[in-house]
Amino acid sequence: MIDNKGRPNRLGVVGWLGGGRWGLERYLYALHRLTGLGLLAYFVLHIGVTASRAFGEASWTAAMGRVSGPLFKTGEFLVFAAFAFHALNGVRLALVELGFAIGKPIEPVYPYRTSVDEQRPLAIGVMVVAAILVIVGGFGFLE
Amino acid sequence: MAAAHTVSTDVVFRVRRFDPTTDAAPHWEDYRFAAPAGMTVLEGLRHVKEALSPTLAWRSSCRMGVCGSCGMFINGRPRLACNTQIAELGGALVTIAPLPNFNTIRDLVPDLAPMFEAHAAAKPHIIRDNAAEQREPTGEYWQSPRQLEEYLQFSYCIKCGCCMAACPTYATDPEYAGPMPLAQGHRYNADSRDGGFAERKASLAGERGPWRCHFAGECSRVCPKGVDPARAIQLMKRQLVFDYLRLWKQPCPAPLAKSPAGVERREGIPDAPARTI
Amino acid sequence: MRDQRLWTWHIGAGAVILVLLGLHMTIMHLDAIVRVFSPQPGEPIAWANVVARGRSAFFLVTYVLLLGAALFHGFYGLRNILFELNPGTPAKKALNGFLLVAGVALFAVGTWAAWAGFTVARGA
């Protein structure tokens, strides 16, 4: 292991969030992480809450009562939105990270058209579909 | 020699200075001067050193975008200083900092040793089982233009480190190999003359491998040579996944192209020159 | 290598979740459009509908599958994020152990609840 000379200069977690001069995909990556963590937190609680159905109707009704306030309903809508984004962006990532939709290696001629440019239509497409899903599903929450 | 019609603009170079022998922490210094049209950031730094601050330190060599020495963090993006016109940055303020995600040795000089170490660990050379042929070549290896296309793009890498500075994973995780070593590992995996996929898998399929890449794509966006390391890394993941699922096996490396026996050289075609090494 | 396998399963689990959680979200939130899995009147989460789904073998299997896939996918993702913050080797070992235990425990709870719904509902 080579000795590390010099003063540390890593960007740290700020590097995950970007800094304003970065591309769309970096922000999608940051949002994917954020929605993933949100979904995981909700999911762990969800397992606990829905397990109450094993104890019968009274237990279930009580549990549903506890999570029916306006704050919870807003939270559930956010979870639905997070799912819509995370799932569709995940489809894009699964395709791209398995080498699809990024184009073949080419002789680089300036201005370079990179894999990021090749998959950009897919990225826009999944965001549009996610937005449609959120709007359609959101109507259910308005009731 | 500036022509009479050359227009100069006043610019301010805001440079991150750090001298480990005297400074406790880095600090910014402003240098104001008139930059003629067409001046690159590297030329500007040279002017600063000659006229304003002789102690300014940075790395540069070819000044034409092929050596990879002058990677710096210019106006919030990793760029080559020689390849960046002051005018293209749009504005009178040019902030120059050393490449992030590497330790700063002094002023604008990053410590790139960890990157080169990771690069060496990716075994960036042709691996074949015939060591004698590798040492004393007797002929060429067959390779079609299509086979060349599979890896040619990734061979343009000049090891400048801009991709490493842009990578969000490398920003927090020094264990991650980074875009350049992974792309160069794939450059050799994709080379039909190479037979070393299994050997590289030992270092590339584990924790240091491409699994920490989540396709933020910044490496490809900042690469000054169009190498597109993001593409190489995703293709490497594809290869590794298909290998795990047994949907792909490394083909035999390209065979040696030997001249057929008993064929005379045509008249008028000279012999090849004698070997010099 | 381990990470090669884990990542492949992560993507596979994601595909499973896409289908099954998509189905779950359709049942729960798009009931205005698709009502086949909430045959009883009222909300999809009304007790009658919960029982109706609970006694179905299809839902038992798909809920357990979704539970397993989502726990694996989520905890591997969390592990990725935490490992990228560059903890020391003992912290990494501890995290691996904790996530494995927590994941298995939550899987046990969820499977038990699904099984209870399947068997109790049949008895009722």
Side-chain angles (χ1 to χ4, degrees), chain C residues 30-109:
Chain C
L30 298 179
D31 51 300
I33 306 168
V34 176
R35 191 77 199 178
V36 63
F37 294 113
S38 301
Q40 303 295 327
E43 297 276 327
I45 55 167
W47 177 248
N49 281 315
V50 171
V51 165
R53 283 189 299 269
R55 71 176 65 192
S56 142
F58 169 77
F59 276 98
L60 174 69
V61 169
T62 52
Y63 272 152
V64 172
L65 254 177
L66 176 59
L67 179 69
L71 280 171
F72 177 77
H73 187 88
F75 277 36
Y76 179 75
L78 179 62
R79 176 182 179 265
N80 260 359
I81 294 173
L82 294 173
F83 273 36
E84 280 177 35
L85 292 169
N86 198 31
T89 313
K92 282 185 179 170
K93 284 192 155 71
L95 259 170
N96 274 339
F98 171 74
L99 290 173
L100 185 64
V101 167
V104 169
L106 285 165
F107 183 73
V109 167

Coordinates of all heavy atoms in Angstrom, one line a residue, chain C residues 30-109:
Chain C
L30 N -55.0 1.9 -6.8 CA -55.7 2.1 -8.1 C -57.0 1.3 -8.1 O -57.4 0.8 -9.1 CB -54.8 1.6 -9.3 CG -53.5 2.4 -9.4 CD1 -52.6 1.9 -10.5 CD2 -53.8 3.9 -9.6
D31 N -57.6 1.2 -6.9 CA -58.8 0.3 -6.8 C -60.0 1.0 -7.5 O -61.0 0.3 -7.8 CB -59.2 0.1 -5.3 CG -59.3 1.4 -4.6 OD1 -58.2 2.1 -4.5 OD2 -60.3 1.7 -4.0
A32 N -59.9 2.2 -7.9 CA -61.0 2.8 -8.7 C -61.0 2.2 -10.1 O -62.0 2.2 -10.8 CB -60.7 4.3 -8.8
I33 N -59.8 1.8 -10.5 CA -59.7 1.2 -11.9 C -59.7 -0.3 -11.9 O -60.4 -0.9 -12.7 CB -58.3 1.7 -12.5 CG1 -58.2 3.2 -12.5 CG2 -58.2 1.2 -14.0 CD1 -56.8 3.7 -12.8
V34 N -59.0 -0.9 -10.9 CA -58.9 -2.4 -10.9 C -59.5 -2.8 -9.6 O -58.9 -2.5 -8.5 CB -57.4 -2.8 -11.0 CG1 -57.3 -4.3 -10.9 CG2 -56.9 -2.4 -12.4
R35 N -60.5 -3.6 -9.6 CA -61.2 -3.9 -8.3 C -61.2 -5.4 -8.1 O -61.8 -5.9 -7.1 CB -62.6 -3.4 -8.4 CG -63.4 -3.4 -7.2 CD -63.1 -2.3 -6.2 NE -63.6 -2.7 -4.9 CZ -63.5 -2.0 -3.8 NH1 -62.8 -0.8 -3.8 NH2 -63.9 -2.4 -2.7
V36 N -60.6 -6.2 -9.0 CA -60.8 -7.6 -8.9 C -60.3 -8.3 -7.6 O -60.8 -9.3 -7.1 CB -60.2 -8.3 -10.2 CG1 -58.7 -8.1 -10.2 CG2 -60.5 -9.8 -10.2
F37 N -59.2 -7.6 -7.0 CA -58.6 -8.2 -5.8 C -59.2 -7.7 -4.5 O -58.8 -8.0 -3.4 CB -57.1 -8.0 -5.8 CG -56.4 -8.8 -6.9 CD1 -55.8 -8.1 -7.9 CD2 -56.4 -10.2 -6.9 CE1 -55.2 -8.8 -9.0 CE2 -55.8 -10.9 -7.9 CZ -55.2 -10.2 -9.0
S38 N -60.2 -6.8 -4.6 CA -60.9 -6.3 -3.5 C -62.4 -6.6 -3.7 O -63.2 -5.6 -3.9 CB -60.6 -4.8 -3.2 OG -59.3 -4.6 -3.1
P39 N -62.8 -7.8 -3.6 CA -64.2 -8.2 -4.0 C -65.3 -7.7 -3.1 O -66.4 -7.4 -3.5 CB -64.2 -9.7 -4.1 CG -63.1 -10.1 -3.2 CD -62.1 -9.0 -3.2
Q40 N -64.9 -7.5 -1.8 CA -65.9 -7.1 -0.8 C -66.1 -5.5 -1.0 O -65.2 -4.8 -1.4 CB -65.5 -7.4 0.6 CG -65.2 -8.9 0.8 CD -66.5 -9.7 0.6 OE1 -67.6 -9.3 1.0 NE2 -66.3 -10.9 0.1
P41 N -67.2 -5.0 -0.6 CA -67.4 -3.6 -0.6 C -66.5 -2.9 0.4 O -66.1 -3.4 1.3 CB -68.9 -3.4 -0.3 CG -69.3 -4.6 0.5 CD -68.5 -5.7 -0.1
G42 N -66.3 -1.6 0.1 CA -65.5 -0.8 1.0 C -64.1 -0.7 0.5 O -63.7 -1.1 -0.6
E43 N -63.2 -0.1 1.4 CA -61.8 0.1 1.0 C -61.1 -1.2 0.8 O -61.5 -2.3 1.3 CB -61.1 0.8 2.2 CG -61.6 2.2 2.5 CD -61.0 3.2 1.6 OE1 -59.8 3.0 1.2 OE2 -61.7 4.2 1.2
P44 N -60.0 -1.2 0.0 CA -59.2 -2.4 -0.1 C -58.6 -2.9 1.2 O -58.3 -4.1 1.4 CB -58.0 -2.0 -1.0 CG -58.5 -0.8 -1.8 CD -59.5 -0.1 -0.9
I45 N -58.5 -2.0 2.2 CA -58.0 -2.4 3.5 C -59.1 -2.7 4.5 O -58.8 -2.9 5.7 CB -57.0 -1.3 4.1 CG1 -57.7 0.0 4.2 CG2 -55.7 -1.3 3.3 CD1 -56.9 1.0 5.0
A46 N -60.3 -2.7 4.0 CA -61.4 -3.2 5.0 C -61.2 -4.6 5.3 O -60.6 -5.4 4.5 CB -62.7 -3.0 4.3
W47 N -61.5 -5.0 6.5 CA -61.3 -6.3 7.1 C -61.8 -7.4 6.1 O -61.0 -8.4 5.9 CB -61.9 -6.4 8.5 CG -61.7 -7.8 9.0 CD1 -62.7 -8.8 9.3 CD2 -60.5 -8.4 9.5 NE1 -62.1 -9.9 9.8 CE2 -60.7 -9.7 9.9 CE3 -59.1 -8.0 9.5 CZ2 -59.8 -10.6 10.4 CZ3 -58.2 -8.8 10.0 CH2 -58.5 -10.1 10.4
A48 N -62.9 -7.2 5.6 CA -63.5 -8.3 4.7 C -62.6 -8.5 3.5 O -62.4 -9.7 3.1 CB -64.9 -7.8 4.2
N49 N -62.0 -7.5 3.0 CA -61.1 -7.6 1.8 C -59.8 -8.2 2.3 O -59.2 -9.1 1.5 CB -60.9 -6.3 1.1 CG -62.1 -5.9 0.2 OD1 -62.6 -6.8 -0.5 ND2 -62.5 -4.7 0.3
V50 N -59.3 -7.8 3.4 CA -58.1 -8.4 4.0 C -58.2 -9.9 4.1 O -57.4 -10.7 3.8 CB -57.7 -7.7 5.3 CG1 -56.5 -8.5 5.9 CG2 -57.3 -6.3 5.1
V51 N -59.4 -10.3 4.7 CA -59.6 -11.8 4.9 C -59.7 -12.5 3.5 O -59.2 -13.6 3.3 CB -60.9 -12.0 5.7 CG1 -61.4 -13.4 5.6 CG2 -60.7 -11.6 7.1
A52 N -60.5 -11.8 2.6 CA -60.6 -12.4 1.3 C -59.3 -12.7 0.6 O -59.1 -13.8 0.0 CB -61.5 -11.5 0.4
R53 N -58.4 -11.7 0.7 CA -57.0 -12.0 0.1 C -56.2 -13.0 1.0 O -55.5 -13.8 0.5 CB -56.3 -10.7 0.0 CG -56.7 -9.8 -1.2 CD -55.8 -8.6 -1.4 NE -55.8 -7.8 -0.3 CZ -56.6 -6.7 -0.1 NH1 -57.5 -6.4 -1.0 NH2 -56.5 -5.9 0.9
G54 N -56.4 -12.8 2.3 CA -55.6 -13.6 3.2 C -55.8 -15.1 3.0 O -54.9 -15.9 3.1
R55 N -57.0 -15.5 2.7 CA -57.3 -17.0 2.5 C -56.9 -17.5 1.2 O -57.0 -18.7 0.9 CB -58.8 -17.3 2.8 CG -59.7 -16.8 1.7 CD -61.2 -17.2 2.0 NE -61.7 -16.5 3.2 CZ -62.8 -16.9 3.8 NH1 -63.5 -17.9 3.3 NH2 -63.2 -16.3 4.9
S56 N -56.4 -16.6 0.3 CA -56.0 -17.1 -1.0 C -54.6 -17.6 -1.1 O -53.7 -16.9 -0.6 CB -56.2 -15.9 -2.0 OG -55.2 -15.9 -3.0
A57 N -54.4 -18.8 -1.6 CA -53.0 -19.3 -1.7 C -52.1 -18.4 -2.6 O -50.9 -18.2 -2.4 CB -53.0 -20.7 -2.3
F58 N -52.7 -17.8 -3.7 CA -52.0 -16.9 -4.6 C -51.4 -15.8 -3.8 O -50.2 -15.5 -3.9 CB -53.0 -16.4 -5.6 CG -52.4 -15.3 -6.4 CD1 -51.5 -15.5 -7.5 CD2 -52.8 -13.9 -6.2 CE1 -51.0 -14.5 -8.2 CE2 -52.2 -12.9 -7.0 CZ -51.4 -13.2 -8.0
F59 N -52.2 -15.2 -2.9 CA -51.6 -14.1 -2.1 C -50.6 -14.5 -1.0 O -49.7 -13.8 -0.7 CB -52.8 -13.3 -1.5 CG -53.3 -12.3 -2.4 CD1 -54.5 -12.5 -3.1 CD2 -52.7 -11.1 -2.6 CE1 -55.0 -11.6 -4.0 CE2 -53.2 -10.1 -3.5 CZ -54.4 -10.4 -4.2
L60 N -50.8 -15.7 -0.5 CA -49.9 -16.2 0.5 C -48.5 -16.3 -0.2 O -47.5 -15.7 0.3 CB -50.3 -17.6 1.0 CG -49.2 -18.3 1.9 CD1 -49.1 -17.5 3.2 CD2 -49.6 -19.7 2.1
V61 N -48.5 -16.9 -1.4 CA -47.2 -17.1 -2.1 C -46.6 -15.8 -2.5 O -45.4 -15.5 -2.3 CB -47.4 -18.1 -3.3 CG1 -46.2 -18.0 -4.2 CG2 -47.7 -19.5 -2.9
T62 N -47.5 -14.9 -3.1 CA -46.9 -13.7 -3.7 C -46.5 -12.7 -2.5 O -45.5 -12.0 -2.7 CB -47.9 -13.0 -4.6 OG1 -49.2 -12.8 -3.9 CG2 -48.1 -13.7 -5.9
Y63 N -47.2 -12.7 -1.4 CA -46.8 -11.8 -0.3 C -45.5 -12.3 0.3 O -44.6 -11.4 0.5 CB -47.9 -11.8 0.8 CG -49.0 -10.8 0.7 CD1 -50.2 -11.0 1.2 CD2 -48.7 -9.6 0.0 CE1 -51.2 -10.1 1.1 CE2 -49.8 -8.7 -0.2 CZ -51.0 -8.9 0.4 OH -52.0 -8.0 0.2
V64 N -45.3 -13.6 0.4 CA -44.0 -14.1 1.0 C -42.9 -13.8 0.0 O -41.8 -13.4 0.4 CB -44.1 -15.6 1.4 CG1 -42.8 -16.1 1.7 CG2 -45.1 -15.8 2.5
L65 N -43.1 -14.0 -1.3 CA -42.1 -13.7 -2.3 C -41.7 -12.3 -2.3 O -40.6 -11.9 -2.3 CB -42.7 -14.1 -3.7 CG -42.2 -15.3 -4.4 CD1 -42.9 -15.5 -5.7 CD2 -40.7 -15.3 -4.6
L66 N -42.8 -11.4 -2.3 CA -42.5 -10.0 -2.2 C -41.8 -9.6 -1.0 O -40.8 -8.8 -1.1 CB -43.9 -9.2 -2.3 CG -43.8 -7.7 -2.2 CD1 -43.0 -7.1 -3.4 CD2 -45.2 -7.1 -2.3
L67 N -42.1 -10.1 0.1 CA -41.5 -9.8 1.4 C -40.0 -10.2 1.3 O -39.1 -9.4 1.6 CB -42.1 -10.7 2.5 CG -41.6 -10.5 3.9 CD1 -41.9 -9.1 4.4 CD2 -42.2 -11.5 4.8
G68 N -39.7 -11.4 0.8 CA -38.3 -11.8 0.7 C -37.5 -11.0 -0.2 O -36.4 -10.5 0.1
A69 N -38.1 -10.7 -1.4 CA -37.4 -10.0 -2.4 C -37.1 -8.5 -2.0 O -36.0 -8.0 -2.1 CB -38.2 -10.0 -3.7
A70 N -38.2 -7.9 -1.3 CA -38.0 -6.5 -0.9 C -37.0 -6.4 0.2 O -36.3 -5.4 0.3 CB -39.4 -6.0 -0.5
L71 N -37.1 -7.3 1.2 CA -36.1 -7.3 2.3 C -34.7 -7.4 1.7 O -33.8 -6.6 2.1 CB -36.4 -8.3 3.3 CG -37.5 -8.0 4.3 CD1 -37.9 -9.2 5.1 CD2 -37.2 -6.8 5.2
F72 N -34.5 -8.3 0.8 CA -33.1 -8.5 0.3 C -32.7 -7.3 -0.5 O -31.6 -6.8 -0.3 CB -33.0 -9.8 -0.6 CG -31.7 -10.0 -1.2 CD1 -30.6 -10.5 -0.5 CD2 -31.5 -9.6 -2.5 CE1 -29.4 -10.6 -1.0 CE2 -30.2 -9.7 -3.1 CZ -29.2 -10.2 -2.3
H73 N -33.6 -6.8 -1.4 CA -33.2 -5.7 -2.2 C -33.0 -4.4 -1.3 O -32.0 -3.7 -1.5 CB -34.4 -5.4 -3.1 CG -34.2 -4.4 -4.2 ND1 -33.6 -4.6 -5.4 CD2 -34.4 -3.1 -4.2 CE1 -33.5 -3.5 -6.1 NE2 -34.0 -2.6 -5.4
G74 N -33.8 -4.2 -0.4 CA -33.7 -3.0 0.5 C -32.5 -3.0 1.3 O -31.7 -2.1 1.4
F75 N -32.2 -4.2 2.0 CA -31.1 -4.3 2.9 C -29.8 -4.3 2.1 O -28.8 -3.7 2.6 CB -31.2 -5.5 3.8 CG -32.1 -5.2 5.0 CD1 -33.2 -4.4 4.9 CD2 -31.8 -5.8 6.2 CE1 -34.0 -4.1 6.0 CE2 -32.7 -5.5 7.3 CZ -33.8 -4.7 7.2
Y76 N -29.7 -4.9 0.9 CA -28.5 -4.8 0.2 C -28.2 -3.4 -0.3 O -27.1 -2.9 -0.3 CB -28.6 -5.7 -1.1 CG -27.4 -5.7 -1.9 CD1 -26.2 -6.4 -1.6 CD2 -27.4 -5.0 -3.2 CE1 -25.1 -6.3 -2.3 CE2 -26.2 -5.0 -3.9 CZ -25.1 -5.6 -3.5 OH -24.0 -5.6 -4.3
G77 N -29.3 -2.6 -0.6 CA -29.1 -1.2 -1.0 C -28.6 -0.4 0.2 O -27.7 0.4 0.0
L78 N -29.2 -0.7 1.3 CA -28.7 0.1 2.5 C -27.3 -0.3 2.8 O -26.5 0.6 3.2 CB -29.6 -0.3 3.7 CG -29.3 0.3 5.1 CD1 -29.4 1.8 5.0 CD2 -30.2 -0.2 6.2
R79 N -26.9 -1.6 2.7 CA -25.6 -2.0 2.9 C -24.6 -1.3 2.0 O -23.6 -0.8 2.4 CB -25.5 -3.5 2.7 CG -24.1 -4.1 2.8 CD -24.1 -5.6 2.5 NE -22.8 -6.2 2.6 CZ -22.0 -6.4 1.5 NH1 -22.4 -6.0 0.3 NH2 -20.9 -7.0 1.6
N80 N -25.0 -1.1 0.7 CA -24.2 -0.4 -0.3 C -23.9 1.0 0.2 O -22.8 1.5 0.1 CB -25.0 -0.3 -1.6 CG -24.5 -1.3 -2.6 OD1 -23.6 -2.1 -2.3 ND2 -25.1 -1.4 -3.8
I81 N -25.0 1.7 0.5 CA -24.9 3.1 0.9 C -24.0 3.2 2.1 O -23.1 4.1 2.2 CB -26.3 3.7 1.3 CG1 -27.2 3.8 0.0 CG2 -26.2 5.1 1.9 CD1 -28.6 4.2 0.3
L82 N -24.2 2.4 3.1 CA -23.3 2.5 4.3 C -21.9 2.1 4.1 O -21.0 2.7 4.6 CB -23.9 1.6 5.4 CG -25.3 2.0 6.0 CD1 -25.9 1.0 6.9 CD2 -25.2 3.4 6.6
F83 N -21.7 1.1 3.2 CA -20.3 0.7 2.9 C -19.6 1.8 2.1 O -18.4 1.9 2.2 CB -20.3 -0.7 2.2 CG -20.3 -1.9 3.0 CD1 -21.0 -1.9 4.2 CD2 -19.6 -3.0 2.7 CE1 -21.0 -3.0 5.0 CE2 -19.6 -4.1 3.5 CZ -20.3 -4.1 4.7
E84 N -20.3 2.5 1.3 CA -19.6 3.6 0.5 C -19.2 4.7 1.4 O -18.5 5.6 0.9 CB -20.6 4.0 -0.6 CG -20.6 3.1 -1.7 CD -21.5 3.5 -2.8 OE1 -21.7 4.7 -3.0 OE2 -22.1 2.6 -3.5
L85 N -19.7 4.8 2.7 CA -19.2 5.8 3.6 C -17.9 5.4 4.2 O -17.4 6.1 5.1 CB -20.3 6.1 4.7 CG -21.5 6.7 4.1 CD1 -22.6 6.7 5.1 CD2 -21.2 8.2 3.7
N86 N -17.3 4.3 3.7 CA -16.0 3.9 4.1 C -15.8 3.6 5.6 O -15.0 4.2 6.3 CB -15.0 4.9 3.7 CG -13.6 4.4 3.6 OD1 -13.4 3.2 3.3 ND2 -12.6 5.2 3.9
P87 N -16.6 2.7 6.2 CA -16.4 2.3 7.6 C -15.2 1.3 7.6 O -14.7 0.8 6.6 CB -17.7 1.6 8.0 CG -18.2 1.0 6.7 CD -17.8 1.9 5.6
G88 N -14.7 1.1 8.9 CA -13.6 0.2 9.0 C -14.1 -1.2 8.9 O -15.3 -1.5 8.9
T89 N -13.1 -2.2 8.8 CA -13.5 -3.6 8.6 C -14.3 -4.1 9.8 O -15.3 -4.9 9.5 CB -12.2 -4.4 8.4 OG1 -11.4 -3.8 7.5 CG2 -12.6 -5.8 7.9
P90 N -14.1 -3.8 11.0 CA -15.0 -4.4 12.1 C -16.4 -3.8 11.9 O -17.3 -4.6 12.1 CB -14.3 -3.8 13.4 CG -13.0 -3.3 13.1 CD -13.0 -3.1 11.6
A91 N -16.5 -2.6 11.5 CA -17.9 -2.0 11.3 C -18.6 -2.7 10.2 O -19.8 -3.0 10.2 CB -17.8 -0.5 11.1
K92 N -17.8 -3.0 9.1 CA -18.4 -3.7 8.0 C -18.9 -5.1 8.4 O -20.0 -5.5 8.0 CB -17.4 -3.9 6.9 CG -17.2 -2.6 6.1 CD -16.2 -2.9 4.9 CE -16.0 -1.6 4.1 NZ -15.0 -1.7 3.1
K93 N -18.1 -5.8 9.2 CA -18.5 -7.1 9.6 C -19.8 -7.0 10.5 O -20.7 -7.8 10.3 CB -17.4 -7.8 10.5 CG -16.2 -8.3 9.6 CD -15.3 -9.2 10.5 CE -14.6 -10.2 9.8 NZ -13.5 -9.7 8.9
A94 N -19.8 -6.0 11.4 CA -20.9 -5.9 12.3 C -22.2 -5.5 11.5 O -23.3 -6.1 11.7 CB -20.6 -4.8 13.3
L95 N -22.0 -4.7 10.5 CA -23.2 -4.3 9.7 C -23.7 -5.5 8.9 O -24.9 -5.7 8.8 CB -22.7 -3.2 8.6 CG -23.1 -1.8 9.0 CD1 -22.4 -0.8 8.0 CD2 -24.6 -1.6 8.9
N96 N -22.8 -6.3 8.3 CA -23.2 -7.5 7.6 C -24.1 -8.4 8.5 O -25.2 -8.8 8.1 CB -22.0 -8.3 7.1 CG -21.5 -7.8 5.8 OD1 -22.2 -7.1 5.1 ND2 -20.3 -8.1 5.5
G97 N -23.6 -8.6 9.7 CA -24.3 -9.5 10.7 C -25.6 -8.9 11.1 O -26.7 -9.6 11.1
F98 N -25.6 -7.6 11.4 CA -26.9 -6.9 11.8 C -27.9 -7.0 10.7 O -29.1 -7.3 11.0 CB -26.6 -5.5 12.2 CG -27.8 -4.7 12.5 CD1 -28.6 -4.9 13.6 CD2 -28.3 -3.8 11.6 CE1 -29.7 -4.2 13.9 CE2 -29.4 -3.0 11.8 CZ -30.2 -3.3 12.9
L99 N -27.5 -6.6 9.5 CA -28.5 -6.6 8.4 C -29.1 -8.0 8.1 O -30.2 -8.2 7.8 CB -27.9 -6.0 7.2 CG -27.6 -4.5 7.3 CD1 -26.8 -4.0 6.0 CD2 -28.8 -3.7 7.4
L100 N -28.2 -9.0 8.2 CA -28.6 -10.4 8.0 C -29.7 -10.8 9.0 O -30.7 -11.3 8.7 CB -27.4 -11.3 8.0 CG -27.7 -12.8 7.6 CD1 -28.2 -12.9 6.2 CD2 -26.5 -13.6 7.8
V101 N -29.3 -10.5 10.3 CA -30.2 -10.9 11.4 C -31.5 -10.2 11.3 O -32.6 -10.7 11.4 CB -29.5 -10.7 12.7 CG1 -30.5 -10.8 13.9 CG2 -28.4 -11.7 12.9
A102 N -31.4 -8.8 11.1 CA -32.7 -8.0 11.0 C -33.5 -8.5 9.8 O -34.8 -8.6 9.9 CB -32.3 -6.5 10.8
G103 N -32.9 -8.8 8.7 CA -33.6 -9.2 7.5 C -34.4 -10.5 7.7 O -35.5 -10.6 7.4
V104 N -33.6 -11.5 8.3 CA -34.3 -12.8 8.6 C -35.4 -12.6 9.6 O -36.5 -13.2 9.4 CB -33.2 -13.8 9.1 CG1 -33.9 -15.0 9.6 CG2 -32.2 -14.1 7.9
A105 N -35.2 -11.8 10.6 CA -36.2 -11.6 11.6 C -37.5 -11.0 11.0 O -38.6 -11.5 11.3 CB -35.7 -10.7 12.8
L106 N -37.3 -10.0 10.2 CA -38.5 -9.3 9.6 C -39.2 -10.3 8.6 O -40.4 -10.3 8.5 CB -38.1 -8.1 8.9 CG -37.7 -6.9 9.8 CD1 -37.0 -5.8 9.0 CD2 -39.0 -6.3 10.4
F107 N -38.4 -11.1 8.0 CA -39.0 -12.1 7.1 C -39.8 -13.1 7.9 O -40.9 -13.5 7.4 CB -37.9 -12.8 6.3 CG -38.4 -13.8 5.3 CD1 -39.0 -13.4 4.1 CD2 -38.3 -15.2 5.5 CE1 -39.5 -14.3 3.2 CE2 -38.8 -16.1 4.6 CZ -39.4 -15.7 3.4
A108 N -39.3 -13.5 9.0 CA -40.0 -14.4 9.8 C -41.3 -13.8 10.3 O -42.4 -14.5 10.3 CB -39.2 -14.8 11.0
V109 N -41.3 -12.6 10.7 CA -42.5 -11.9 11.2 C -43.6 -11.8 10.1 O -44.7 -12.2 10.3 CB -42.2 -10.5 11.7 CG1 -43.5 -9.7 11.9 CG2 -41.4 -10.6 13.0

